[in-house]
Amino acid sequence: VRIVLTRTIQDVRKHLELIRRQSKRIGLVPTMGALHAGHASLIERARSDSDFVTVSIFVNPLQFGPNEDYLRYPRPLERDLEICENAGVDLVFAPEVTEVYASEQRTFVEVSRLGDHLCGAFRPEHFRGVATVVAKLFNIAHPDRAYFGEKDYQQLAIIRGMVKDLNFGVEIVAVPTFREPDGLALSSRNAYMSPAERALAPVVFQTLRAAKTSIEQGERRTDVVKGAAIKALSRESGIRVQYFEIVDPLEVQPVAEIHGEVRVACAVFIGNTRLIDNIAAVSPE
Ligand code: AMP
């Protein structure tokens, strides 16, 4: 069976309508394309527990800030289709911007509080753009399940919040972060880095792991864990820390003192490339 490429909302709805009539469970993997092994792990998970896997490929202008990389974001559609085909995807939905935003967009999804910190503090419209496009994709495709990476932890929390608050009948499945052997989380933006910058990148995950270890050995003082991490990251002159925070895993709010389960998350610039990553940590009783 060859992969089906749909470019219009009408077309993707028609295809999925037939699938639904066969009582097949539809899995949706929303992406911005430039697919890599991280996306492939979402697809693999979708294949293992859905009957029909749809991947959307759409670089959503609404989630990019005015000085961000919307125009230069990579769009290798042919290659992405090949990756999807090899990964056993059944259908790809790759609409043009004018298809998704056919008229002036007047309705937006804003999930309060969950977007206040971490990336939300530095990318003010970003999560509103993400939640709005994901709501559109859910209304277009009506998936039974949708797959999101823990790599974008705050995004995952916001999508869960939206689904709960707006009663979307979609089960959200979280997939662990897929990493390079040296620990760097795969990202379409990793390709922006020069070889010298790429060589610095593993320190991000090393620092997160060190923070986790410190928390799991009993350090409860947020300031101490944060201070050590920012110091370790700042030792490299090519790295600038945007944030390094310890938050509670559900509400994504910074914690004053570490108790129970937390999420340690950071964003750094290596040259002009912004990388984000996060890790779970559990404080001992
Ligand atoms: P993107 O194309 O960057 O918007 O990502 C599409 C989906 O893939 C999101 O749910 C991401 O969280 C997920 N994703 C991206 N990179 C990774 C990774 N390294 N491991 C797991 N999931 C990822």
Side-chain angles (χ1 to χ4, degrees), residues 5 19 46 64 75 101 103 105 118 122 125 189 221 229 250 257 269 276 278:
L5 169 64
I19 300 304
F64 286 80
R75 292 164 170 84
Y101 299 107
S103 54
Q105 184 77 20
L118 311 186
F122 296 94
E125 309 265 275
R189 290 186 169 103
R221 293 167 296 176
L250 293 177
E257 235 192 22
F269 280 95
I276 60 170
N278 68 84

Side-chain angles (χ1 to χ4, degrees), residues 30-33 36 38-39 41-42 73 147-152 155 175-178 185-188:
T31 81
M32 299 203 299
H36 51 63
H39 298 114
S41 72
L42 268 63
Y73 199 86
Y147 299 82
F148 292 87
E150 286 185 359
K151 153 91 177 5
D152 300 280
Q155 166 173 286
V175 180
T177 303
F178 190 93
L186 268 74
S187 162
S188 306

Side-chain angles (χ1 to χ4, degrees), residues 13-112:
R13 280 200 166 129
K14 201 179 67 197
H15 274 280
L16 292 177
E17 181 57 33
L18 289 175
I19 300 304
R20 216 166 288 112
R21 251 186 256 155
Q22 300 164 19
S23 299
K24 288 185 173 167
R25 287 163 310 163
I26 294 168
L28 174 67
V29 181
T31 81
M32 299 203 299
L35 301 179
H36 51 63
H39 298 114
S41 72
L42 268 63
I43 292 169
E44 203 174 300
R45 178 69 195 274
R47 288 231 313 161
S48 78
D49 61 15
S50 292
D51 303 314
F52 188 91
V53 177
T54 300
V55 169
S56 62
I57 296 178
F58 181 60
V59 184
N60 174 32
L62 218 58
Q63 70 188 67
F64 286 80
N67 297 314
E68 294 183 359
D69 54 344
Y70 174 66
L71 289 175
R72 73 167 180 141
Y73 199 86
R75 292 164 170 84
L77 184 61
E78 280 305 315
R79 191 172 164 271
D80 286 346
L81 291 176
E82 225 168 87
I83 290 171
C84 285
E85 169 122 18
N86 293 335
V89 172
D90 297 292
L91 184 149
V92 170
F93 175 48
E96 298 286 349
V97 173
T98 48
E99 177 73 9
V100 176
Y101 299 107
S103 54
E104 188 196 346
Q105 184 77 20
R106 291 161 300 198
T107 310
F108 299 91
V109 179
E110 259 181 277
V111 181
S112 57

